[in-house]
Amino acid sequence: MDRRTFLTITPIILSAPNILIGGLKKNTEGSREFKILWRNMNVGYSNIRAHLDGQKLRTEVKVSLTAKLFGITFYSYTLENSEVWENGELIKLNSQSQENNRKKELKVYRKGGELIIEGSKFSGIIPAAGVATTSYFTSDFIRRKVWINTDSGKPLDVDFQKAGTETISSFDGIRSGEKWINSGELNLTLFYDVHGDWIGSYFPVRGELATMLLDKETQSINALWEYLNSKNQKIGNR
């Protein structure tokens, strides 16, 4: 199993109980659940939940991978990651992961205009503005050039280019999404729907394509992201 690839695949209520987005009432919480396929096998899942908390967006990601050969597990990986975002910027990130028997922790927090990263592959300080993470949950990340690996803490240089529109399978049939291919450090293809929500991914593992397919969804996470950022912008302009 290609560890680096899998590790990067490898994410409370406002004053009123509901918010208004696009003229429709939406809950203040959204979620996405993906199944991960490799060599025609279902090897695990990646789930993300997001909810509004005052002026912040909080996300929780859970990933579980188990690869077997002749019924014997030769690779396992789990990750639990929480992030806090405000005004479109990362404020805090905490993750715990386990790859086979090796456990790792990552802490990221903002101090002024910088992010302090304490991870297994990177510990240091980077500029906070315009940073994304490998949680993928909003298409806004596509325009950002530095992503933090939510497993190791390593800042990754990315450069996504749009490659047209393509259909992709999901739990409710075939969907159409914008296809974005990265030419930076991550060998990764992402798909986002017309609402800006992540609906799937492709990435190579040992010369074969691994796929993340949308298996379940509730409300739009990107709608929460856009609503909160536009609301905070209005407050800042007062």
Side-chain angles (χ1 to χ4, degrees):
M1 188 69 59
D2 187 317
R3 179 178 61 84
R4 288 190 63 193
T5 303
F6 264 161
L7 295 187
T8 57
I9 52 176
T10 355
I12 309 263
I13 303 295
L14 295 178
S15 56
N18 293 290
I19 58 177
L20 195 67
I21 302 177
L24 298 174
K25 277 192 173 182
K26 301 287 185 179
N27 293 327
T28 56
E29 179 179 312
S31 65
R32 290 285 187 278
E33 297 181 11
F34 295 85
K35 60 182 177 182
I36 304 172
L37 305 178
W38 181 67
R39 289 185 175 177
N40 297 316
M41 298 182 295
N42 187 337
V43 296
Y45 64 82
S46 177
N47 301 338
I48 180 166
R49 172 181 172 266
H51 66 276
L52 297 180
D53 179 11
Q55 305 304 315
K56 298 179 177 64
L57 181 73
R58 297 182 180 271
T59 64
E60 295 91 35
V61 175
K62 291 185 178 182
V63 178
S64 179
L65 298 167
T66 302
K68 296 183 178 182
L69 183 64
F70 303 118
I72 300 174
T73 299
F74 66 90
Y75 182 87
S76 64
Y77 176 77
T78 60
L79 176 140
E80 292 191 6
N81 169 49
S82 64
E83 299 172 9
V84 181
W85 297 82
E86 186 173 11
N87 294 320
E89 301 291 347
L90 182 65
I91 302 301
K92 184 170 65 174
L93 183 158
N94 289 288
S95 77
Q96 301 81 39
S97 64
Q98 181 168 339
E99 182 189 10
N100 296 324
N101 294 321
R102 183 190 178 195
K103 295 183 179 180
K104 292 177 285 184
E105 291 189 5
L106 169 65
K107 294 183 180 180
V108 181
Y109 57 94
R110 182 163 180 151
K111 187 175 182 180
E114 298 175 322
L115 288 173
I116 314 300
I117 302 175
E118 300 171 359
S120 61
K121 283 196 173 180
F122 179 87
S123 290
I125 301 173
I126 65 172
V131 169
T133 70
T134 52
S135 297
Y136 311 150
F137 62 85
T138 170
S139 59
D140 186 48
F141 285 2
I142 292 295
R143 292 178 285 275
R144 304 187 180 197
K145 299 302 183 182
V146 176
W147 288 16
I148 295 176
N149 183 313
T150 56
D151 174 87
S152 67
K154 181 181 178 182
L156 303 169
D157 294 324
V158 301
D159 184 15
F160 280 91
Q161 301 295 323
K162 187 177 179 181
T165 301
E166 192 170 301
T167 56
I168 184 170
S169 297
S170 71
F171 71 96
D172 59 355
I174 301 298
R175 295 194 182 192
S176 177
E178 289 187 346
K179 181 179 181 180
W180 293 85
I181 300 176
N182 180 46
S183 59
E185 291 186 66
L186 288 176
N187 194 341
L188 175 68
T189 299
L190 293 170
F191 294 87
Y192 291 91
D193 66 15
V194 293
H195 306 294
D197 281 299
W198 175 37
I199 59 172
S201 310
Y202 295 155
F203 52 94
V205 177
R206 290 191 173 182
E208 298 187 41
L209 201 63
T211 306
M212 296 182 70
L213 296 180
L214 186 62
D215 200 35
K216 186 178 180 180
E217 65 181 344
T218 57
Q219 306 293 344
S220 167
I221 295 178
N222 190 59
L224 298 178
W225 172 269
E226 290 185 343
Y227 168 82
L228 189 58
N229 291 341
S230 63
K231 180 182 179 182
N232 288 338
Q233 186 176 14
K234 289 178 181 179
I235 292 174
N237 290 336
R238 288 178 181 175

